[in-house]
């Protein structure tokens, strides 16, 4: 491997067959911790072994993302450095997958993408799936809808897409998707739309929807029952708070009407274009109450 950014931690498994690469990079948009919790659930279900580590001295600004120092009675006993790793696992049906997790690089995105594409070629990766979640004017009372950033229209339609043309800031995962496209390999970003008033708290319904999307496009066998059970508990907590405040209930009613009129609460593959944030119903007060309630619990 020519890239100076990577170190092989273990040999390539001899039985590795056409793996799917699932990626979550911390530091980019992740409303409700939807992507982080989805990746956490995936790694709990599928035991993985470290294959490759990346040189973060070349990729990360540690002054912007400072590692944690461990102190015991005034003694520095260690520094917890972040890790960016590629890991290998096999799902319950025998399908191989690779998992890329860690902090999103601050520097050298071109070099990082080139290193990943060398690995993709060496390991014969068949597909890339990126995980993400973003805040949107949607109510918790409707199923989580997904949006895509895909390399083909066919893939976009399997997940859902915004029926519009526009430019938005991108993360390093967008560069990876373009790297796959240039090698004529499929890649898709699966993005959950999270109610804006819960975007700063754990929202497991988004994580479950993301993993269901991963299974749909890749064929990987992933269980979302535990996430869906957690989602029901969160919905009950939100419903209890909303029921005690007519203004909150009115906000939810407005969001429901907006979503239903645009058919965003169902399984339609097309969604309305970018949100006009000036029309976004404020959920700050409800969000603060939810966060306090969960802290108390």
């Amino acid at each position: 491997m020519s890239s100076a950014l990577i170190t092989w931690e273990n040999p390539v498994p001899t039985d590795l067959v056409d793996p799917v690469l699932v990626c979550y990079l911390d530091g980019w948009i992740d409303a409700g911790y939807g992507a982080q919790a989805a990746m956490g659930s995936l790694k709990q279900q599928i035991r993985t072994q470290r294959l490759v580590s990346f040189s973060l001295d070349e990729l990360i600004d540690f002054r912007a993302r400072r590692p944690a120092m461990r102190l015991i009675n005034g003694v520095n006993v260690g520094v917890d450095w972040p890790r960016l790793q590629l890991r290998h696992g096999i799902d319950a049906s025998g399908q191989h997958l690779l998992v890329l997790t860690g902090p999103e690089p601050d520097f050298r995105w071109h070099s990082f993408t080139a290193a990943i594409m060398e690995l993709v070629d060496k390991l014969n990766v068949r597909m890339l799936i990126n995980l993400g979640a973003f805040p949107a004017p949607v109510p918790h009372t409707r199923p989580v809808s997904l949006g895509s950033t895909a390399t083909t229209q066919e893939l976009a339609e399997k997940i859902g897409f915004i029926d519009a043309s526009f430019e938005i800031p991108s993360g390093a995962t967008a560069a990876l998707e373009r790297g796959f496209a240039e090698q004529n390999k499929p890649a898709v970003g699966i993005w959950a739309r999270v109610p804006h008033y819960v975007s700063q708290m754990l929202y497991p319904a988004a994580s479950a929807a993301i993993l269901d999307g991963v299974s749909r496009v890749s064929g990987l066998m992933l269980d979302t029952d535990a996430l869906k059970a957690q989602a029901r508990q969160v919905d009950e907590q939100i419903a209890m708070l909303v029921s005690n405040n007519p203004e909150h209930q009115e906000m939810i009613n407005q969001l429901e009407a907006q979503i239903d009129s645009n058919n965003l609460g169902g399984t339609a593959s097309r969604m309305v274009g970018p949100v006009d944030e000036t029309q976004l119903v404020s959920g700050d007060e409800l969000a603060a109450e939810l966060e306090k309630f969960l802290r108390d619990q």
Side-chain angles (χ1 to χ4, degrees), residues 170-187:
S170 70
T173 51
L176 296 182
E177 289 169 13
R178 290 309 308 158
F180 269 70
E182 290 166 6
Q183 288 197 10
N184 294 317
K185 288 180 177 286

Side-chain angles (χ1 to χ4, degrees), residues 8 10-16 49 51-52 88 98 119 122-123:
W8 286 93
N10 284 294
V12 178
T14 56
D15 61 344
L16 185 66
Q49 174 183 334
L51 277 184
V52 169
H88 165 256
L98 299 170
L119 291 168
K122 181 178 178 65
L123 302 174

Side-chain angles (χ1 to χ4, degrees), residues 36-139:
Q36 183 183 81
M39 179 59 80
S41 176
L42 183 151
K43 291 171 70 176
Q44 284 181 343
Q45 296 177 48
I46 301 175
R47 184 173 181 177
T48 61
Q49 174 183 334
R50 187 168 64 247
L51 277 184
V52 169
S53 62
F54 290 79
S55 175
L56 293 190
D57 281 345
E58 301 293 326
L59 298 172
I60 297 298
D61 178 2
F62 288 117
R63 290 189 303 174
R65 284 191 257 186
R66 297 181 183 274
M69 176 177 62
R70 285 179 279 120
L71 281 172
I72 297 180
N73 296 328
V75 178
N76 179 347
V77 298
V79 176
D80 292 329
W81 297 98
R83 299 176 182 176
L84 178 57
Q85 299 178 337
L86 184 71
R87 305 180 68 90
H88 165 256
I90 302 176
D91 76 354
S93 68
Q95 294 190 74
H96 291 253
L97 76 154
L98 299 170
V99 175
L100 179 63
T101 59
E104 179 188 43
D106 295 311
F107 311 116
R108 302 185 65 183
W109 282 15
H110 291 291
S111 299
F112 173 65
T113 300
I116 294 294
M117 297 316 299
E118 289 185 46
L119 291 168
V120 165
D121 184 61
K122 181 178 178 65
L123 302 174
N124 197 31
V125 174
R126 66 179 172 91
M127 181 183 197
L128 167 67
I129 302 176
N130 289 315
L131 311 183
F134 63 95
V138 295

Side-chain angles (χ1 to χ4, degrees), residues 21-292:
L21 173 56
V22 182
C23 173
Y24 165 67
L25 298 179
D26 179 45
W28 188 221
I29 302 170
D30 188 21
Y33 305 96
Q36 183 183 81
M39 179 59 80
S41 176
L42 183 151
K43 291 171 70 176
Q44 284 181 343
Q45 296 177 48
I46 301 175
R47 184 173 181 177
T48 61
Q49 174 183 334
R50 187 168 64 247
L51 277 184
V52 169
S53 62
F54 290 79
S55 175
L56 293 190
D57 281 345
E58 301 293 326
L59 298 172
I60 297 298
D61 178 2
F62 288 117
R63 290 189 303 174
R65 284 191 257 186
R66 297 181 183 274
M69 176 177 62
R70 285 179 279 120
L71 281 172
I72 297 180
N73 296 328
V75 178
N76 179 347
V77 298
V79 176
D80 292 329
W81 297 98
R83 299 176 182 176
L84 178 57
Q85 299 178 337
L86 184 71
R87 305 180 68 90
H88 165 256
I90 302 176
D91 76 354
S93 68
Q95 294 190 74
H96 291 253
L97 76 154
L98 299 170
V99 175
L100 179 63
T101 59
E104 179 188 43
D106 295 311
F107 311 116
R108 302 185 65 183
W109 282 15
H110 291 291
S111 299
F112 173 65
T113 300
I116 294 294
M117 297 316 299
E118 289 185 46
L119 291 168
V120 165
D121 184 61
K122 181 178 178 65
L123 302 174
N124 197 31
V125 174
R126 66 179 172 91
M127 181 183 197
L128 167 67
I129 302 176
N130 289 315
L131 311 183
F134 63 95
V138 295
H140 67 281
T141 53
R142 297 293 184 268
V144 174
S145 59
L146 299 174
S148 65
T149 54
T151 53
T152 68
Q153 192 63 47
E154 180 183 5
L155 266 178
E157 289 176 353
K158 285 185 178 180
I159 295 299
F161 61 93
I162 295 176
D163 192 8
S165 297
F166 53 96
E167 293 185 0
I168 56 174
S170 70
T173 51
L176 296 182
E177 289 169 13
R178 290 309 308 158
F180 269 70
E182 290 166 6
Q183 288 197 10
N184 294 317
K185 288 180 177 286
V188 60
I190 299 177
W191 291 83
R193 296 166 61 89
V194 175
H196 60 291
Y197 50 88
V198 297
S199 63
Q200 299 301 314
M201 58 180 274
L202 193 66
Y203 194 64
S207 305
I210 289 170
L211 287 188
D212 284 342
V214 172
S215 296
R216 189 156 65 246
V217 298
S218 69
L220 290 172
M221 185 175 292
L222 300 172
D223 185 1
T224 56
D225 287 347
L227 286 170
K228 290 175 180 175
Q230 295 171 19
R232 288 191 290 271
Q233 294 178 348
V234 170
D235 283 348
E236 290 173 1
Q237 293 166 345
I238 297 172
M240 182 174 66
L241 288 177
V242 169
S243 65
N244 294 326
N245 190 313
E247 292 183 1
H248 293 167
Q249 186 59 62
E250 177 59 25
M251 180 190 74
I252 301 300
N253 293 341
Q254 291 178 21
L255 293 173
E256 288 174 340
Q258 177 179 324
I259 293 305
D260 293 343
S261 65
N262 290 319
N263 197 27
L264 292 180
T267 58
S269 63
R270 298 194 177 194
M271 299 184 289
V272 294
V275 174
D276 180 359
E277 294 190 2
T278 63
Q279 300 300 315
L280 191 65
V281 182
S282 174
D284 292 346
E285 182 182 346
L286 177 55
E289 290 187 18
L290 285 168
E291 290 174 5
K292 181 179 184 303

